[in-house]
Amino acid sequence: MSFPWAREYQPTNGLMKFLDEKLPLPRLIYGAIGAGYPVPRNLSYMWNFGVLAGFCLVMQIITGVVLAMHYAPNALVAFATTEHIMRDVNWGWLMRYAHANGASFFFVVVYLHIFRGFFYSSYKAPREMIWLLGVVIFLLMMATAFMGYVLPWGQMSFWGAKVITGLFGAIPLVGEPIQVWLLGGFAPDNAALNRFFSLHFLLPFVIAGVVILHIWALHIPGSSNPTGVEIKTEADTLPFHPYYTAKDGFGLGVFLLFFLGMVFFLPNFLGHPDNYIEANPLSTPAHIVPEWYFWPFYAILRAFTIDFFFIPAKLMGVLAMFAAILVWFFLPWLDKSPVRSGHYRPLFRIFFWILVVDMAVLFWLGGAAAEEPYVMFSQLATAYYFLHFLVILPIVSSIEKPKPLPYSITESVLGSDKDTAPAAAN
Amino acid sequence: MIRLFGILTGLFFAVAVLWSFGNGAFVAATEGLGEATAEKVFYEHPEELDLPSNGVFGTFDEAQLQRGYQVYKEVCSACHSLKFVAFRDLAQLGYDEGQIKAEAASFQVPGIDPATGEATTRPGLATDYFPSPYPNTVAAAAANNNAIPPDLSLITKARHDGSAYVHSLLTGYSEPPAELTQQFPNFTTPPGLNYNRYFPNLNIAMAPPLALDGQVTYGEGNPEPTVDQMATDVAAFLTWTAEPTLVKRRQTGFAVLGFVLFATILAYFAKQQVWAAVKPKKAAKAKD
């Protein structure tokens, strides 16, 4: 990789030598997540979530493939086959609860991963490409999760599909033909269910592909770290294995305790009761809400209640909802502060925590009924969301006076860096 | 350049959403935050229901499930189907093979006449699922004043507060309270509907199914079949129908969590040991 001191793979036995000559797969693994990848020595537990997200993806694919063996994507029997999995398939209930809660926990760790990136400005040069690919992964995850939620063909599946595909109907002129084309009909039915199943099976593998690019791009500059100071010497780094494999192993254990606690003791807590009612096109639920991980963006979608001059309210909401995620693509160029870590950016740090609160408020309001005063709160929270990324961040990054940075990662960990620091005071 | 464009875009969205906010605030200031309705004021959340299956250590009480099944069979099944439950599942309630066969045979299920090939009915087998009381939804609607009685298999998972909702709803029938008619003179319970304070819009199509104590005759050694007792028992039964694997799930959970906890503790010590050599020594750090 890019560090001259990165250890090189040395095959130790004949089989590995043979493999290394013909297909250097062990070498690839060694360099990617083995002792051949030097990582900053000061990573905190906030750096565990990438590995956890990878674990979630693998777990979702495995449980999902098993579920697909027993599920039938047909509007007549989809709900019944889901119950068949819950009742008659050996350990089917475990597979389904693990898959449904696995989606939620995938989003939990990815949101933490993203907010880690916000705080430590992980998106800044030279890591822009990692960030851009990360946002692509997030968008793909949203599409996959949305289509997966439709498959059990409960009331929220059906009405969620109707509302979300209805968003495309807001596009001027071509909106309605696009909506009909996407659904394969005028309302969600067998055609929609079939294509959603097909795409829900496909997209996780597309995600896996982009994850490989994400990790590849990460290995060019190497991992960021809590000080935001770049690696200077070998003393600043530790090999990924065994140091971070051990740390991630412990992190994975803690994650599993939370995740399995949910699966075995509160498996329906994050779901909606209406999805245990079979889809009925003639009966609209009182409140249509998506899964919790979409709530902030759903709150933004619903915040636009009246037309803005010639732009219809619905179109405005759709534009804002997509813009709320697309704005993340521009972060590397909106935040021009030369300092990465929020620890050394006093003003930025305040606004970061306001953003966290704002996001939490949007979470709450996205799940609340579309009634006053919730709608007014969500309008204020939406306004702050856009102002934060597009106005506050660029301004703060140019007027802020950052605190002094440590000379090196080693100095921040040990208190001094005798090997490389220029003649220090002591 | 990109930042200038960004600031303009940000202001555009902020102004547009504040435009909506201003409108909403103006409406709220001039017209208030929506009127109180009878549904908002008099609807009540279900009362807590203490079932043996509640809590992480909860288990099903077979005798109670059998009583609940009896209530379902003698009362609910007249209108409500239970389509995801098979007669063979009754083994989990403590019935033996002969009893299950007899239970199945006491229901008529759709079949085909082997002589003529015409649609007919036949006594149920253990492998059959509970049959619907109506041939189709049109018949169900026609027989019930246009309200289709929902399937009960998943009802405790398909409603907030599950079993508590079922119990409260079954015991929540009354005349509309006097305060309600005073406060909302326009509120009526149309003919064919019934007032129930636990139903979201207060008027439910289902007539009170459990009206009399002793409506179902329980066998020797069981509690008195009061309306409350019958409602509790059928709520317990429907908790089981919604998730027959409930108890197994929790028992598996304890074993799995115990194992993962042990593995996590080991992983913690492994991590400590691996990192011991490169962790900064506290004493050395203090000296610097």
Side-chain angles (χ1 to χ4, degrees):
Chain A
M1 290 289 136
S2 49
F3 299 106
W5 60 84
R7 291 184 211 170
E8 197 159 330
Y9 178 65
Q10 304 290 349
T12 49
N13 58 46
L15 176 66
M16 286 303 170
K17 276 193 187 112
F18 175 84
L19 259 183
D20 195 45
E21 278 170 26
K22 320 294 172 197
L23 178 72
L25 201 56
R27 184 175 291 271
L28 179 74
I29 303 291
Y30 187 87
I33 51 168
Y37 177 43
V39 184
R41 62 189 291 173
N42 61 335
L43 298 191
S44 69
Y45 278 105
M46 282 310 292
W47 267 257
N48 277 39
F49 295 104
V51 165
L52 292 179
F55 173 81
C56 285
L57 177 63
V58 172
M59 183 179 67
Q60 289 301 89
I61 289 178
I62 293 171
T63 52
V65 166
V66 174
L67 288 171
M69 293 172 186
H70 301 279
Y71 167 83
N74 182 298
L76 289 175
V77 296
F79 191 83
T81 56
T82 308
E83 274 310 307
H84 161 70
I85 290 169
M86 292 298 286
R87 288 157 195 270
D88 295 331
V89 174
N90 289 329
W91 300 100
W93 56 270
L94 179 57
M95 287 295 137
R96 173 153 181 265
Y97 279 154
H99 196 71
N101 285 283
S104 282
F105 275 74
F106 198 173
F107 274 95
V108 169
V109 297
V110 163
Y111 274 123
L112 288 167
H113 194 58
I114 291 171
F115 273 76
R116 193 285 315 271
F118 286 156
F119 185 80
Y120 292 102
S121 312
S122 303
Y123 43 78
K124 277 183 193 159
R127 297 185 181 78
E128 302 98 319
M129 187 54 78
I130 314 170
W131 176 261
L132 299 180
L133 290 166
V135 181
V136 170
I137 292 170
F138 183 68
L139 287 169
L140 287 169
M141 276 177 67
M142 292 182 99
T144 310
F146 159 67
M147 288 190 271
Y149 192 58
V150 175
L151 302 185
W153 209 239
Q155 274 288 69
M156 278 301 161
S157 300
F158 178 88
W159 290 96
K162 192 157 168 112
V163 169
I164 299 299
T165 54
L167 298 181
F168 292 91
I171 302 169
L173 303 176
V174 292
E176 274 182 42
I178 287 180
Q179 187 188 344
V180 170
W181 177 70
L182 285 174
L183 281 175
F186 295 100
D189 205 340
N190 217 28
L193 181 59
N194 268 294
R195 63 190 59 181
F196 281 13
F197 177 67
S198 173
L199 292 173
H200 183 72
F201 207 114
L202 167 73
L203 285 184
F205 297 97
V206 177
I207 293 176
V210 184
V211 165
I212 289 171
L213 299 183
H214 187 66
I215 297 172
W216 188 6
L218 170 72
H219 281 69
I220 304 303
S223 301
S224 65
N225 72 84
T227 66
V229 177
E230 284 297 324
I231 292 167
K232 289 193 166 71
T233 63
E234 185 173 1
D236 291 340
T237 64
L238 292 169
F240 189 85
H241 179 74
Y243 292 98
Y244 286 103
T245 42
K247 195 166 182 171
D248 286 332
F250 172 58
L252 179 64
V254 174
F255 167 81
L256 283 176
L257 285 174
F258 281 103
F259 168 65
L260 294 170
M262 205 76 184
V263 166
F264 285 107
F265 295 99
L266 287 169
N268 293 307
F269 179 77
L270 295 169
H272 196 291
D274 278 16
N275 229 27
Y276 280 109
I277 305 170
E278 196 165 353
N280 182 354
L282 300 177
S283 155
T284 316
H287 302 295
I288 301 174
V289 285
E291 286 276 81
W292 70 267
Y293 34 79
F294 294 135
W295 285 355
F297 305 102
Y298 195 55
I300 290 172
L301 171 74
R302 294 192 303 181
F304 295 82
T305 48
I306 56 164
D307 297 354
F308 187 61
F309 297 104
F310 58 91
I311 310 174
K314 188 181 174 190
L315 177 61
M316 204 57 224
V318 173
L319 286 176
M321 186 181 74
F322 285 109
I325 300 168
L326 294 183
V327 65
W328 295 355
F329 278 117
F330 297 94
L331 271 183
W333 300 279
L334 289 169
D335 178 3
K336 293 304 275 189
S337 170
V339 175
R340 295 196 184 90
S341 170
H343 289 306
Y344 304 99
R345 301 182 62 189
L347 196 56
F348 165 83
R349 198 162 58 191
I350 296 168
F351 286 107
F352 169 80
W353 286 110
I354 297 176
L355 176 72
V356 171
V357 172
D358 187 62
M359 200 72 176
V361 168
L362 285 171
F363 259 114
W364 164 52
L365 295 168
E371 294 166 1
E372 297 294 4
Y374 305 124
V375 177
M376 284 198 282
F377 295 156
S378 70
Q379 286 159 343
L380 294 177
T382 302
Y384 181 79
Y385 183 92
F386 283 104
L387 290 177
H388 175 91
F389 284 110
L390 291 164
V391 180
I392 294 171
L393 210 54
I395 293 176
V396 163
S397 65
S398 52
I399 63 167
E400 179 178 57
K401 195 170 179 301
K403 290 199 236 167
L405 292 170
Y407 169 73
S408 70
I409 293 171
T410 306
E411 187 191 282
S412 79
V413 176
L414 297 180
S416 73
D417 186 350
K418 293 195 184 67
D419 298 336
T420 50
N426 54 348
Chain B
M1 191 61 205
I2 189 163
R3 280 187 288 169
L4 180 68
F5 186 70
I7 288 173
L8 290 176
T9 312
L11 288 175
F12 167 73
F13 281 113
V15 168
V17 76
L18 291 175
W19 183 259
S20 287
F21 170 78
N23 181 62
F26 178 75
V27 172
T30 51
E31 295 169 26
L33 289 175
E35 280 173 50
T37 58
E39 291 83 0
K40 275 186 190 162
V41 181
F42 286 90
Y43 165 74
E44 284 179 39
H45 286 284
E47 275 175 54
E48 265 184 51
L49 178 66
D50 190 23
L51 288 182
S53 58
N54 289 357
V56 291
F57 299 106
T59 50
F60 291 122
D61 173 358
E62 274 186 9
Q64 185 179 41
L65 295 190
Q66 292 195 3
R67 294 197 299 272
Y69 168 59
Q70 196 187 342
V71 175
Y72 168 76
K73 186 184 169 187
E74 294 181 20
V75 184
C76 318
S77 72
C79 307
H80 291 279
S81 58
L82 197 63
K83 64 180 174 184
F84 295 121
V85 181
F87 293 109
R88 61 182 154 83
D89 295 330
L90 294 176
Q92 296 175 40
L93 267 49
Y95 293 107
D96 65 33
E97 208 182 315
Q99 287 170 313
I100 290 170
K101 279 183 180 164
E103 284 302 325
S106 70
F107 284 82
Q108 288 291 314
V109 301
I112 289 170
D113 188 324
T116 64
E118 276 175 31
T120 175
T121 58
R122 58 171 172 82
L125 299 170
T127 48
D128 285 319
Y129 285 76
F130 277 85
S132 169
Y134 303 105
N136 51 54
T137 52
V138 179
N144 290 284
N145 204 8
N146 268 332
I148 299 170
D151 182 79
L152 292 185
S153 317
L154 286 162
I155 203 77
T156 57
K157 275 163 124 184
R159 297 289 184 276
H160 284 286
D161 306 307
S163 54
Y165 169 83
V166 170
H167 173 262
S168 288
L169 191 81
L170 290 175
T171 54
Y173 287 92
S174 66
E175 289 300 312
E179 307 97 82
L180 191 157
T181 35
Q182 269 168 20
Q183 219 174 317
F184 301 97
N186 290 334
F187 179 85
T188 53
T189 300
L193 297 186
N194 306 274
Y195 182 82
N196 191 317
R197 62 184 183 277
Y198 297 108
F199 194 66
N201 72 10
L202 301 178
N203 290 323
I204 185 170
M206 175 169 69
L210 300 171
L212 295 169
D213 289 347
Q215 190 174 334
V216 175
T217 310
Y218 283 166
E220 282 291 303
N222 281 307
E224 278 300 302
T226 58
V227 168
D228 186 75
Q229 184 65 44
M230 290 185 290
T232 307
D233 292 344
V234 82
F237 173 68
L238 293 175
T239 304
W240 171 78
T241 62
E243 188 154 4
T245 51
L246 177 69
V247 174
K248 186 186 180 190
R249 187 186 85 211
R250 291 184 191 138
Q251 285 169 348
T252 314
F254 283 118
V256 170
L257 281 189
F259 173 80
V260 173
L261 182 64
F262 179 67
T264 305
I265 292 169
L266 286 187
Y268 175 74
F269 286 119
K271 184 249 160 194
Q272 289 300 90
Q273 189 162 2
V274 166
W275 280 77
V278 296
K279 272 278 163 79
K281 307 268 184 302
K282 283 211 174 83
K285 200 173 184 181
K287 235 189 285 170
D288 276 327

